[in-house]
């Protein structure tokens, strides 16, 4: 399973990534030993680290979660096909969360995003909220937290 979480609204998109990780931990891995975070955008892990991690089977559990931040910001043109191939062959034991702080329209035009189709793919776009949408979101948050 591949989950794309992206958009310019960093608060809501990061919150979604945290929700996904919490749900994973509750269901599959309370201690978090099968949760890995890779930070491509900060000059951290390489594409090779990403490719290896995606194909790794879980340790002492049935599922593993890999959260990758900033993959598309650092992806070089010559790496695109290799990453696409890896994304299309994610093992059923892996839940891959790709988090990007890119404009959703720009991100959705990326070759990799377009090439994925709908094969066990989930997409969560978080554009900047304005006007009535922002007001509605604020009211929902107030209700959610007992205000």
């Amino acid at each position: 399973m591949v989950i794309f979480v992206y958009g310019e609204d960093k608060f809501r998109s990061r919150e979604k990534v945290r929700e996904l990780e919490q749900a994973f931990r509750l269901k599959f891995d309370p201690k978090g030993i099968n949760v890995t975070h890779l930070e491509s955008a900060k000059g951290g892990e390489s594409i090779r680290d990403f490719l290896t991690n995606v194909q790794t089977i879980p340790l002492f559990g049935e599922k593993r979660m890999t959260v990758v931040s900033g993959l598309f910001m650092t992806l070089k043109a010559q790496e695109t096909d290799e990453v696409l191939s890896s994304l299309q062959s994610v093992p059923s034991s892996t839940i891959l969360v790709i988090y990007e702080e890119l404009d959703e329209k720009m991100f959705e035009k990326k070759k990799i995003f377009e090439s994925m189709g709908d094969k066990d793919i989930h997409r969560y776009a978080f554009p900047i909220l304005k006007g009535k949408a922002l007001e509605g979101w604020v009211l929902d948050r107030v209700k959610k937290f007992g205000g």
Side-chain angles (χ1 to χ4, degrees):
M1 174 188 307
V2 178
I3 303 170
F4 290 101
V5 180
Y6 58 98
E8 291 181 296
D9 188 334
K10 294 175 187 174
F11 180 84
R12 292 187 307 132
S13 58
R14 287 178 185 161
E15 183 175 59
K16 184 63 177 179
V17 171
R18 280 191 302 272
E19 286 174 11
L20 292 168
E21 185 175 337
Q22 287 173 347
F24 175 83
R25 284 178 177 235
L26 280 172
K27 187 170 183 177
F28 299 110
D29 187 20
K31 294 188 186 223
I33 60 172
N34 284 308
V35 177
T36 305
H37 291 266
L38 301 174
E39 304 262 344
S40 297
K42 296 179 181 172
E45 284 74 21
S46 68
I47 294 302
R48 185 71 35 222
D49 295 332
F50 163 76
L51 296 171
T52 301
N53 194 283
V54 166
Q55 299 301 323
T56 302
I57 59 171
L59 181 66
F60 306 121
E62 62 180 283
K63 297 276 186 185
R64 68 177 281 115
M65 175 179 267
T66 300
V67 179
V68 182
S69 301
L71 175 67
F72 293 101
M73 296 172 83
T74 59
L75 190 63
K76 295 174 182 74
Q78 66 268 26
E79 297 168 329
T80 302
D81 290 335
E82 192 174 10
V83 170
L84 179 57
S85 175
S86 180
L87 290 177
Q88 291 175 333
S89 64
V90 172
S92 60
S93 61
T94 299
I95 298 171
L96 175 62
V97 179
I98 297 177
Y99 168 65
E100 295 289 338
E101 294 177 354
L102 297 172
D103 171 83
E104 59 280 351
K105 289 182 177 99
M106 196 170 97
F107 182 66
E108 290 168 358
K109 290 179 185 174
K110 297 267 185 197
K111 178 184 177 186
I112 289 180
F113 189 84
E114 290 177 340
S115 301
M116 290 300 295
D118 289 326
K119 181 188 159 204
D120 209 10
I121 305 294
H122 301 274
R123 296 171 171 92
Y124 298 96
F126 293 96
I128 298 288
L129 295 177
K130 298 176 183 169
K132 293 285 185 195
L134 179 58
E135 289 175 25
W137 179 81
V138 169
L139 290 173
D140 288 344
R141 298 287 292 189
V142 169
K143 288 177 189 173
K144 180 179 177 180
F145 292 106

